[in-house]
Amino acid sequence: MERREFLKMSAAMSAAAAVTGCSSESAQTTPPVTVPVEEKLNWSACLVNCGSNCPVKVYSRDGIITRIETDYAVEDDYGNHQVRACLRGRSLRKRVYAPDRLKYPMKRVGPRGSGQFERISWDEALNTVASELGRLRGQYGPECTHFTYHSGAYYSFAGFNCLARLMNITGGALGAYGDYSWAQLYQAANYTYGDANHGWLGSSNAEMRKSDLVLLIGHNPAEMRMSGSGESYDYLNIIQDKQKQRAQDGTQFKTIIIDPRYTDSALGKEDQWIPVRPGTDAALMEALAFELITNNWIDQSFLNSHCLGFDEHTLPAGQDYDATYKSYILDNTQPGSLTAGSNAKTPEWASAICGVPADDIRQLAKDLADATTPFVHIAASLNRQAAGENNIRACYMLPILLGQVGLPGTNNGAMCSGASLPIATMPTRGDLNTVDKSISFFTFTQAIEDGENMTVLRDGVKLPADQLDANGDGKLGVNIKAIVNYAGNALINQHADTKKTEALLKDESKCEFIVVIDNWMTPSAEFADILLPDINWLETKDDLINQSYAAGDTATLVQMSSSLEPMFECRDAYDIALGIAEIWGVAGQFTEGKTKQQWRDELYAVAKNATPELPSKEEMKTQGIFRKYLPNGSYVVLEDFRKDPVANPLKTPSGKIEIYSDRLATLGSKWELKEGDVISALPKYVPTWDGYESLDTPEEREKAAKYPLQMHGYHTKGRAHSSYHNVPWLREAVEDAVWMNPIDAQERGLSSGDTVQVFNDRGTIELPVKVTPRIMPGVTALGQGAWFKGAGKNIDKGGCLNTLTSQRPTPISKGNGQHTIRVQINKA
């Protein structure tokens, strides 16, 4: 920080202290007469990728933040409750004034990843970016340019859309499909329900009130969705109300949580915790299916009328009975018979794999069958496994077999739909994008290394039909030569196998130019050639944002304004993109002749038209937040389809729920798969690389013996992915330590607080251990998102989980199996 900025901040802090009666002077010294400066209040929001975008009240004096508060404008009565930011949002002042805040444009002066930069002017920075991007795009085509995954700033106006707009105006860039959160889930939903929405977004949280059994498979809203308008608050209120009702009148209700860890979503709020080994959920689901089928607890009528591929009554065209789900589960090829074969998916078979006692599996099946309205919620964490697509499809089978789909109080297994109020965002002009090629988000490092040889059938490349051969195959034909990394830390920190990525990015002959636009010196920023300092959320005048994608049953709109000017030489993404557009001669196309304020006014008007009761912009600057509980009522997923599957068919080829997918059968026969990868027409448990059941190869058996512990990644309260890691308050409140069961710790002579090394063939991290019975034996767990501190070193002492994870993509989505990890742990 420059001296003048520091003095300005110090003066403001002194004024604030004087107003509250505090002074650094001794008691004998007469304090100077100070004229109090009135605090200004501006509403803003936390725009991090937790799914909620909570409002915050920013108090400032003389352009310096003095304190952060959150919403407490109404009585906290559920349904019209306060939308309170969690501990992360309340720490925003520390984040804005973090010591590693990027202040000026900089260029790299040392090797990539060394963190060596020197300050340059904006003119030099923008001219360098325009020149290098122009040179590479001219030489290799616009498809050589790629945006890495980004989710650190969900602006409606002056954010990523401005950069995408610039690229599209000038030819576009290489696209990406999927994301680190739900790539495999999207595909599981697509092949089961016909589109991603019906498997990604399920019934409203409010439908739990009508349920008599809530089953959370890996779902952990207490740590994932902490916002006052979010799923955690919905879940807590609903569960507590149901438990009170049960205590008062004996109403039947039960909450069951399946998870390797005893999470904060349990902690006495659950009736049963069932620990399961990571990546083996599909085996557990198949054993539950065995119990449901053999005890005739299935809804045969629903399966006959709404589903394809369960038994002889729902055979896919051209298939025999042995292709059905019932035949597979029972290992019996005789239609109508319930006799179990030697390879039947019995509770005893599953118990040996997933670690759940067979009797517990039988009891869970009976509980599900006895429930009149079971509500099944599958977490996205299950899809981030080596066979994530099959994990999710296998879990979908519970409500499908029970026929508990499309009815009040039920869910089809998907994550709950959140209430939403629409807003408009900066148009990206995707219609001008000339690049019609895309890759999986997770394969960008492969595309740097060997993109020109990546294919459709082996690597999941998407190409236009006229670029495919007679077999439906084709090559990407270009390597990624330039990367724009905006408000994201997936360039290295959130991507898998950080040491492998580090080595790749250091080779400047491969990716020749990297520009990073961010607020802080993140691990990804250290690999930039040019660093551009973005403004932060509390300095923006973005006007209006909504509650994002996972806010729960309360829809909100938040007015974002600021009395803070951008610190140092920071600029927002609109001004950065406009500066490059001017150099490239396309400023007129970029602005369309509008000022920034005209753009913002136009976007606000669209939102006002969609929600007429939304106050005016001037009113919202004072009110700050507009909220509506269940604005469209409670939602039951697939309700219309359940009522009339003929009139309301799904988007699957058959129009029904496809237990058997002919499309997947075709992919499995055509695609080039690595050894151990399986694409099956039916949802099936399969052993995987680095899984509890290793693949039957010498290499995998050796790896399993060398690294006997399964590592499970999870989201902590102190971060949203890697965002907020640079706030010391949060690192103190939520310790980064690897969880270990006392049995495993005793074998290694470890106690809580010991420094340990967690390692496998990909790398080593060093951090404390937390010994706790809240995790099952044989499994360890670590909060993901800690910042990588291993560049150029043998040991990452930052504790970044991705030092240990694999870049091997999953079979169907080519997504990230980053929760499939084997490790060993020793005392450091």
Side-chain angles (χ1 to χ4, degrees), residues 106 202 553 571 621 667:
M106 294 190 287
D553 290 339
R571 296 186 184 181
K621 285 182 179 179
L667 291 187

mmCIF file of all heavy atoms in Angstrom, residues 106 202 553 571 621 667:
data_model
loop_
_atom_site.group_PDB
_atom_site.id
_atom_site.type_symbol
_atom_site.label_atom_id
_atom_site.label_comp_id
_atom_site.label_asym_id
_atom_site.label_seq_id
_atom_site.Cartn_x
_atom_site.Cartn_y
_atom_site.Cartn_z
ATOM 1 N N MET A 106 0.673 -5.494 -13.451
ATOM 2 C CA MET A 106 2.037 -5.998 -13.296
ATOM 3 C C MET A 106 2.357 -6.971 -14.419
ATOM 4 O O MET A 106 1.467 -7.597 -14.989
ATOM 5 C CB MET A 106 2.211 -6.686 -11.943
ATOM 6 C CG MET A 106 2.095 -5.730 -10.760
ATOM 7 S SD MET A 106 2.574 -6.492 -9.184
ATOM 8 C CE MET A 106 1.175 -7.552 -8.889
ATOM 9 N N GLY A 202 -34.331 -30.361 -8.078
ATOM 10 C CA GLY A 202 -35.486 -31.168 -7.717
ATOM 11 C C GLY A 202 -36.581 -30.347 -7.073
ATOM 12 O O GLY A 202 -36.777 -29.173 -7.386
ATOM 13 N N ASP A 553 -35.574 -21.435 -0.326
ATOM 14 C CA ASP A 553 -36.967 -21.107 -0.642
ATOM 15 C C ASP A 553 -37.263 -19.615 -0.628
ATOM 16 O O ASP A 553 -38.380 -19.206 -0.938
ATOM 17 C CB ASP A 553 -37.899 -21.825 0.336
ATOM 18 C CG ASP A 553 -37.925 -23.332 0.103
ATOM 19 O OD1 ASP A 553 -37.573 -23.752 -1.012
ATOM 20 O OD2 ASP A 553 -38.285 -24.077 1.027
ATOM 21 N N ARG A 571 -9.418 -1.646 -11.722
ATOM 22 C CA ARG A 571 -10.479 -1.353 -12.690
ATOM 23 C C ARG A 571 -11.408 -2.551 -12.780
ATOM 24 O O ARG A 571 -10.973 -3.699 -12.590
ATOM 25 C CB ARG A 571 -9.891 -1.080 -14.083
ATOM 26 C CG ARG A 571 -9.019 0.144 -14.175
ATOM 27 C CD ARG A 571 -8.607 0.393 -15.633
ATOM 28 N NE ARG A 571 -7.686 1.527 -15.744
ATOM 29 C CZ ARG A 571 -7.187 1.979 -16.890
ATOM 30 N NH1 ARG A 571 -7.523 1.378 -18.026
ATOM 31 N NH2 ARG A 571 -6.357 3.001 -16.907
ATOM 32 N N LYS A 621 -31.745 1.574 -2.999
ATOM 33 C CA LYS A 621 -30.482 1.977 -2.400
ATOM 34 C C LYS A 621 -30.602 2.132 -0.891
ATOM 35 O O LYS A 621 -29.634 1.953 -0.155
ATOM 36 C CB LYS A 621 -29.985 3.281 -3.036
ATOM 37 C CG LYS A 621 -29.410 3.097 -4.436
ATOM 38 C CD LYS A 621 -28.891 4.403 -5.006
ATOM 39 C CE LYS A 621 -28.296 4.170 -6.405
ATOM 40 N NZ LYS A 621 -27.806 5.428 -7.005
ATOM 41 N N LEU A 667 -22.824 -45.229 -26.617
ATOM 42 C CA LEU A 667 -21.560 -44.593 -26.248
ATOM 43 C C LEU A 667 -20.552 -45.632 -25.772
ATOM 44 O O LEU A 667 -19.374 -45.585 -26.120
ATOM 45 C CB LEU A 667 -21.784 -43.555 -25.143
ATOM 46 C CG LEU A 667 -22.541 -42.283 -25.476
ATOM 47 C CD1 LEU A 667 -22.500 -41.328 -24.294
ATOM 48 C CD2 LEU A 667 -21.985 -41.608 -26.703
#
